[in-house]
Amino acid sequence: MERLSEENLFKLSTDSLEEIQSFSDQKIPESLLRFLERCRDLSLRKLSSDFVEKAADDISQKIPSDSTVFRGMSPKKRHEVERLIPVILNLMEGKPEGEFRIIDVGSGEGYLSSVLSYSYGLKVTGIDAQYSEGANRRKSVLVKEIAAKYAKEDRGEIKEKLEEDLNFIEFYLTSEIDEEGFRKLCGGNLGEKIIMIGLHTCGSLACTMLKLFVECDFIDAFVGVGCCYYKGNLRDIFLLSKTMKEKEKSTDRFPRFDLQSWYLACESTEMWREMTSEEKKYTLRRRFFRSLLEIALRRALESYGFEGHFTVRKVKKKQCESFEDYFEACLEKLKFNPERNDLGLLQIVREFWNPREKLKKLEMEYEGQMIQLISFHALQLCVAPLMESISVLDRHLYLAENNIRSAIIPLFKESTSPRNLVLVGTKRSFIESTNG
């Protein structure tokens, strides 16, 4: 790896093997080429199926021409909604619409929910831990705009139906909920069948949904797209299937997964491909600073049992111009995992690295290892699709072990929406054109 230039390292996860072999200035080691080929062969992101093509063809026929329901959506969100809707509707083919209620878990601002309800007349309940207020505000605007398109004498009746068919609930869904509790949460009639959907549900929430799908007879089908695989208790995220658990116990070659493994599953080679050279350099500088931050914390908290697990959210670009600026910004936002006496520990860190000239010396100590960081990141990007594939495959096997047919579908354009693997399951006869 050290033989490769920085520019060529950037290309390992994005260029074809033929392009990598043709690097004119450097010979690529055969062992590296075999590694790259194996990573790509094992990734589920390369899957294709007739179902994907059919869903793409259905978009023009099944997506509403009235743009009102797309109010406030980013191009990325609209792409996801437009691609996902035909999958959901195909699960209902040949069944009266009134038999179903859609439960949209992690519904956020209600984008997907509102299109399903207001464009297709479906009964939808959105469940989210914190965004129900924003979703309800958006619902009110949509109800007024849609009703205004009808004759004045019909508007009252239209508004009533729109209000009734779409509901948002603020509820923190965890693995502690049982079948009876979830049935009450879903509402509706006891005879209704539930299709549970989740567009980019994080970590353990996706696994909770799958367990409910398996355990609850009234849930007829499942459509889920995972995201942020690292969020939640590691034991709740992985492993779900008996197959994977037995494999883990039976061989020393089975990989050992930790929180960092699931961070890696969220990396996107396509987004890296789209970055400019300056954007890549900025991303690597942030990663270098993040590595230095961990070293700084370990040195300061060496005698306090610190194991290197922490999170930092939303550090702005202007706060990354120097490591000293980054360090100060991070201390304001840092949370230890598991949660501990943050204020006390942070004070110890501040005192240990005072005066701040010590931080500059730390940066100089490690700046010569930048090429190793770039090499490591390049390899991470190559492995990232495998990590996501293992997680999704584990969920797929979990459904199979419970006699539920399912399929894994790479539905979104990866350059638009990197988390593009959709897991579809049903307890009825399945759509045979899937590859699952």
Side-chain angles (χ1 to χ4, degrees):
M1 293 287 289
E2 292 181 358
R3 303 177 196 171
L4 299 179
S5 67
E6 182 176 316
E7 181 182 357
N8 285 343
L9 283 169
F10 286 154
K11 296 178 180 179
L12 290 180
S13 62
T14 59
D15 286 16
S16 69
L17 292 179
E18 291 76 16
E19 290 171 325
I20 292 171
Q21 285 177 302
S22 67
F23 288 166
S24 59
D25 54 337
Q26 292 160 317
K27 179 175 175 56
I28 307 301
E30 284 297 322
S31 58
L32 178 58
L33 288 172
R34 289 196 300 271
F35 170 77
L36 296 176
E37 184 176 20
R38 191 65 172 156
C39 286
R40 296 175 190 203
D41 285 345
L42 294 174
S43 171
L44 293 178
R45 292 181 188 174
K46 68 181 181 61
L47 289 177
S48 62
S49 71
D50 293 338
F51 181 81
V52 178
E53 299 304 320
K54 182 177 185 300
D57 290 341
D58 283 350
I59 288 174
S60 60
Q61 302 173 29
K62 293 185 174 179
I63 293 301
S65 57
D66 186 351
S67 62
T68 303
V69 291
F70 294 109
R71 169 183 287 276
M73 289 192 203
S74 65
K76 173 180 178 292
K77 181 61 67 177
R78 180 160 180 167
H79 170 80
E80 293 163 353
V81 169
E82 289 182 345
R83 284 272 173 150
L84 202 57
I85 280 177
V87 178
I88 297 167
L89 297 182
N90 279 335
L91 289 171
M92 301 170 60
E93 281 189 352
K95 297 286 182 177
E97 292 178 355
E99 287 188 9
F100 290 96
R101 175 173 293 274
I102 307 294
I103 302 298
D104 184 4
V105 179
S107 53
E109 295 289 337
Y111 295 126
L112 178 58
S113 297
S114 59
V115 176
L116 286 168
S117 184
Y118 293 161
S119 295
Y120 301 99
L122 299 173
K123 295 176 181 179
V124 183
T125 299
I127 301 173
D128 199 278
Q130 56 184 331
Y131 290 119
S132 64
E133 185 178 344
N136 279 316
R137 283 199 303 268
R138 184 173 179 273
K139 171 186 170 180
S140 297
V141 173
L142 291 179
V143 167
K144 290 177 182 177
E145 290 190 3
I146 294 171
K149 300 177 187 291
Y150 289 82
K152 193 171 183 179
E153 61 271 17
D154 296 329
R155 290 176 188 173
E157 183 179 344
I158 294 296
K159 282 185 178 180
E160 185 177 342
K161 184 179 186 328
L162 293 174
E163 292 281 0
E164 183 179 307
D165 285 353
L166 177 60
N167 295 285
F168 294 103
I169 300 171
E170 190 165 307
F171 185 83
Y172 184 53
L173 190 65
T174 71
S175 57
E176 296 177 2
I177 194 167
D178 58 15
E179 181 174 351
E180 182 181 357
F182 191 68
R183 171 79 262 190
K184 291 179 180 177
L185 186 65
C186 292
N189 302 319
L190 291 178
E192 287 178 335
K193 287 291 187 179
I194 300 296
I195 295 180
M196 180 187 284
I197 65 175
L199 176 53
H200 290 147
T201 48
C202 294
S204 55
L205 178 57
C207 299
T208 296
M209 290 172 63
L210 284 168
K211 290 174 182 176
L212 284 169
F213 177 42
V214 167
E215 295 167 3
C216 300
D217 291 338
F218 60 87
I219 303 179
D220 194 64
F222 172 91
V223 180
V225 189
C227 187
C228 301
Y229 298 101
Y230 54 88
K231 288 188 176 180
N233 190 314
L234 196 59
R235 289 172 295 181
D236 294 334
I237 299 170
F238 189 82
L239 301 157
L240 282 180
S241 68
K242 293 178 183 178
T243 304
M244 288 286 198
K245 290 176 182 177
E246 290 171 1
K247 192 75 172 176
E248 183 183 35
K249 293 176 182 178
S250 65
T251 175
D252 292 335
R253 298 185 65 184
F254 192 86
R256 296 295 181 260
F257 299 101
D258 57 15
L259 202 60
Q260 184 58 39
S261 304
W262 302 122
Y263 272 106
L264 183 57
C266 298
E267 292 279 11
S268 169
T269 55
E270 282 298 322
M271 291 187 72
W272 186 256
R273 184 199 300 272
E274 297 296 323
M275 285 184 185
T276 65
S277 176
E278 286 304 311
E279 288 171 335
K280 289 176 182 177
K281 288 178 180 179
Y282 166 70
T283 299
L284 288 168
R285 185 169 75 250
R286 279 189 69 127
R287 289 176 183 268
F288 179 53
F289 287 171
R290 172 62 173 72
S291 301
L292 288 178
L293 177 65
E294 182 171 340
I295 293 170
L297 292 174
R298 285 182 181 275
R299 290 187 183 180
L301 302 175
E302 184 177 7
S303 60
Y304 293 87
F306 175 66
E307 297 180 350
H309 300 307
F310 62 93
T311 55
V312 176
R313 295 280 183 265
K314 298 181 179 179
V315 178
K316 297 178 181 179
K317 187 173 183 178
K318 66 181 181 181
Q319 296 171 317
C320 299
E321 294 180 0
S322 71
F323 179 57
E324 292 97 319
D325 292 341
Y326 179 82
F327 180 84
E328 287 294 343
C330 287
L331 290 191
E332 295 295 327
K333 301 171 183 291
L334 189 144
K335 297 290 181 184
F336 291 105
N337 300 323
E339 289 189 14
R340 301 169 60 177
N341 178 11
D342 292 0
L343 293 178
L345 291 178
L346 291 176
Q347 185 59 33
I348 292 168
V349 173
R350 290 182 188 280
E351 291 176 359
F352 184 90
W353 292 103
N354 186 39
R356 288 293 181 260
E357 285 76 11
K358 294 168 70 175
L359 291 173
K360 188 62 179 177
K361 290 181 180 179
L362 177 67
E363 183 178 358
M364 293 174 65
E365 180 182 346
Y366 284 95
E367 64 182 0
Q369 297 184 25
M370 192 65 178
I371 189 63
Q372 286 94 331
L373 176 66
I374 295 172
S375 300
F376 181 69
H377 182 55
L379 289 176
Q380 278 191 317
L381 285 171
C382 296
V383 174
L386 294 184
M387 297 306 306
E388 182 176 30
S389 298
I390 290 170
S391 178
V392 177
L393 183 59
D394 176 48
R395 297 171 185 186
H396 174 63
L397 289 170
Y398 173 69
L399 294 182
E401 290 166 357
N402 286 278
N403 300 313
I404 297 173
R405 299 193 68 183
S406 63
I408 301 167
I409 307 168
L411 191 62
F412 310 139
K413 292 180 181 177
E414 195 176 345
S415 58
T416 302
S417 182
R419 305 280 70 74
N420 73 332
L421 295 176
V422 181
L423 181 61
V424 183
T426 180
K427 296 172 182 175
R428 294 183 287 108
S429 59
F430 200 57
I431 301 171
E432 295 296 340
S433 58
T434 63
N435 65 352

